């Protein structure tokens, strides 16, 4: 069994107190049973604090967020008191892992870092390696991939190669991807998508405002500005393909996930264009922030991701 990751994976380091959108705010944090057992044994004031700050609902333990939706152990410097007092080894599994994700195959586990973390987003978008994978470890055992797994990995590698080779013309690269996967569909307009996304559960009220702004793009009679970021957008699409294709359950789901990857690019690009029209510029930091927001509002919600995938499955396959 191998553990593989994008080449940039090892560059990730949490920026903790410097993070503008800490993952310890606004998110429900479930605590795994192994960690709960450890916390039950902690003595003194920290032990008492732990037991007073954890609740259990339907057998699932989680931290009781404060009124302003902060983890009760996130201190005023935005640093974690559990990390400080008990050490990294006593963080629960979710806190240890975040923003890492895993894709499981018969012969390998892939790991990656998620776009909803601003530190990870900067690394993903600015990557200059062309999105290749490295082997982090290999126990030497030779498990075999199933035919379906082989198909998904080969397809995904080829799509990533296409978009990376066409990063100087992303729109052309997207057409090549869709051709390669034999996907024919009429996508909704950005305005139609903005209306759909507005109907989803929204975490940050600014997201709704941004969706309103991209809706307005359609009414502009002027030529929309060029925004550059070719490499960054190629990396963005590669990330969505890398992360989401392995979750597909069947062929139509797989095709819909390719469209989902392209949609992420279209929405984030529209946010960048809208920023230029409003503020006269869109800098790399803005791109990272729009990507982070899209990721936490859409990609990190299983429900929202599934809703979009269902829409695409209907759109692609109803045309046959
Ligand atoms: S979002 Fe990323 S950088 Fe910020 S606190 Fe969480 S892991 Fe660290």
């Amino acid at each position: 069994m191998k553990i593989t990751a994008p080449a940039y994976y090892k560059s990730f380091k949490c920026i903790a107190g410097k993070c503008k959108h800490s993952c310890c705010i606004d998110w429900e944090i479930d605590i795994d049973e192994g960690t709960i057992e450890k916390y039950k044994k902690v003595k003194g004031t920290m032990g008492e604090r732990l037991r007073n700050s954890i609740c259990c609902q339907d057998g699932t333990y989680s931290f009781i967020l404060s009124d302003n939706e902060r983890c009760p152990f996130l201190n005023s410097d935005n640093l974690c008191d559990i990390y400080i007092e008990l050490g990294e080894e006593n963080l629960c599994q979710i806190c240890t892992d975040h923003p890492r994700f895993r894709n499981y195959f018969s012969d390998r586990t892939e790991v990656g870092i998620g776009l909803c973390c601003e530190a990870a987003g900067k690394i993903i978008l600015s990557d200059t390696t062309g999105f290749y994978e490295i082997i982090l470890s290999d126990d030497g055992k030779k498990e075999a991939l199933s035919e379906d797994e082989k198909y998904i990995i080969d397809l995904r590698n080829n799509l990533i190669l296409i978009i990376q080779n066409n990063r100087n013309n992303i729109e052309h690269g997207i057409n090549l991807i869709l051709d390669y996967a034999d996907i024919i569909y009429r996508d909704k307009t950005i305005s139609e998508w903005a209306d759909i996304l507005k109907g989803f559960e929204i975490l940050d009220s600014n997201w709704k405002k941004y969706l309103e702004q991209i809706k307005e793009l359609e009414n502009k009679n002027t030529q929309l500005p060029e925004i550059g970021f070719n490499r960054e957008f190629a990396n963005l699409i590669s990330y969505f393909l890398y992360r989401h294709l392995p979750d597909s359950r069947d062929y139509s789901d797989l095709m819909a996930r390719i469209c989902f990857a392209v949609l992420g690019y279209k929405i984030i690009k529209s946010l960048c264009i809208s920023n230029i029209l409003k503020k006269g510029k869109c800098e790399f930091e803005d791109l990272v922030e729009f990507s982070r927001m899209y990721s936490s509002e859409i990609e990190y919600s299983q429900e929202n991701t599934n809703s979009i995938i269902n829409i695409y499955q209907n759109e692609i396959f109803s045309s046959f």
Side-chain angles (χ1 to χ4, degrees):
M1 176 70 74
K2 294 190 284 274
I3 299 184
T4 61
Y8 55 65
Y9 174 80
K10 285 185 177 172
S11 316
F12 175 74
K13 197 167 177 357
C14 170
I15 53 173
K18 293 193 191 119
C19 181
K20 290 200 281 294
H21 298 277
S22 169
C23 51
C24 313
I25 302 172
D26 282 338
W27 299 75
E28 295 278 339
I29 306 163
D30 290 345
I31 310 165
D32 53 286
E33 282 184 20
T35 306
I36 282 294
E37 289 311 311
K38 282 191 202 169
Y39 288 171
K40 280 182 186 162
K41 291 181 194 141
V42 176
K43 296 196 168 55
T45 40
M46 189 59 176
E48 205 174 314
R49 199 175 150 199
L50 276 165
R51 286 180 283 281
N52 289 336
S53 309
I54 291 170
C55 63
C56 181
Q57 209 176 6
D58 301 328
T60 303
Y61 291 90
S62 59
F63 292 112
I64 303 168
L65 300 186
S66 66
D67 288 344
N68 46 4
E69 302 291 310
R70 293 169 66 90
C71 171
F73 291 95
L74 187 65
N75 66 27
S76 53
D77 295 323
N78 273 357
L79 296 172
C80 171
D81 281 343
I82 296 180
Y83 187 103
I84 294 167
E85 293 205 23
L86 303 177
E88 190 175 2
E89 65 280 11
N90 282 303
L91 294 177
C92 64
Q93 198 58 49
I94 286 185
C95 294
T96 304
D97 277 358
H98 190 82
R100 296 167 188 84
F101 64 87
R102 290 181 177 77
N103 294 326
Y104 296 98
F105 292 98
S106 301
D107 74 335
R108 73 194 73 174
T109 299
E110 295 178 340
V111 291
I113 47 176
L115 202 58
C116 74
C117 157
E118 65 190 60
K122 277 184 193 164
I123 292 170
I124 296 165
L125 296 169
S126 62
D127 178 47
T128 54
T129 65
F131 212 96
Y132 76 92
E133 265 193 300
I134 53 169
I135 297 174
L136 297 178
S137 67
D138 186 353
D139 63 9
K141 290 187 190 148
K142 296 273 174 262
E143 297 89 352
L145 288 170
S146 70
E147 284 305 311
D148 285 351
E149 287 175 326
K150 254 191 238 160
Y151 181 80
I152 291 172
I153 291 175
D154 286 349
L155 175 68
R156 186 188 63 177
N157 290 350
N158 286 333
L159 298 181
I160 290 176
L161 197 63
I162 291 171
I163 201 67
Q164 289 289 340
N165 284 345
N166 287 279
R167 59 176 168 257
N168 290 333
N169 188 345
I170 295 290
E171 300 293 331
H172 179 61
I174 288 173
N175 288 337
L176 293 177
I177 278 183
L178 297 176
D179 277 354
Y180 187 88
D182 222 0
I183 297 175
I184 301 166
Y185 71 117
R186 187 201 72 80
D187 201 359
K188 297 181 188 307
T189 63
I190 286 300
S191 175
E192 287 169 330
W193 273 116
D195 280 334
I196 292 170
L197 301 191
K198 268 185 352 188
F200 291 174
E201 188 191 356
I202 287 181
L203 298 173
D204 182 337
S205 54
N206 282 327
W207 177 240
K208 200 167 188 175
K209 206 173 70 192
Y210 288 143
L211 290 174
E212 288 293 347
Q213 285 169 12
I214 62 172
K215 257 179 82 63
E216 288 166 18
L217 290 180
E218 229 161 56
N219 303 328
K220 302 269 177 226
N221 292 324
T222 51
Q223 172 122 21
L224 296 177
E226 284 297 319
I227 48 176
F229 292 139
N230 288 343
R231 181 191 304 281
E232 290 80 356
F233 283 137
N235 289 341
L236 185 71
I237 296 169
S238 303
Y239 160 83
F240 285 131
L241 292 168
Y242 179 79
R243 177 165 191 169
H244 293 283
L245 264 52
D247 283 338
S248 56
R249 296 175 307 269
D250 54 37
Y251 183 72
S252 74
D253 189 8
L254 180 62
M255 296 300 110
R257 282 170 193 275
I258 296 171
C259 301
F260 176 78
V262 173
L263 177 69
Y265 152 75
K266 286 184 184 174
I267 299 283
I268 293 165
K269 180 186 164 191
S270 300
L271 292 166
C272 293
I273 292 175
S274 167
N275 205 65
I276 295 178
L277 293 176
K278 223 164 158 264
K279 299 187 178 161
K281 60 182 179 178
C282 183
E283 297 180 341
F284 178 69
E285 300 292 326
D286 299 313
L287 172 65
V288 172
E289 171 55 8
F290 293 141
S291 304
R292 182 203 66 75
M293 204 174 223
Y294 177 84
S295 175
S296 41
E297 294 286 344
I298 304 297
E299 194 200 7
Y300 268 71
S301 159
Q302 197 65 52
E303 201 182 327
N304 293 347
T305 299
N306 287 345
S307 299
I308 294 173
I309 290 182
N310 285 340
I311 291 172
Y312 276 124
Q313 277 179 298
N314 288 334
E315 304 246 322
I316 302 168
F317 291 93
S318 62
S319 57
F320 287 114

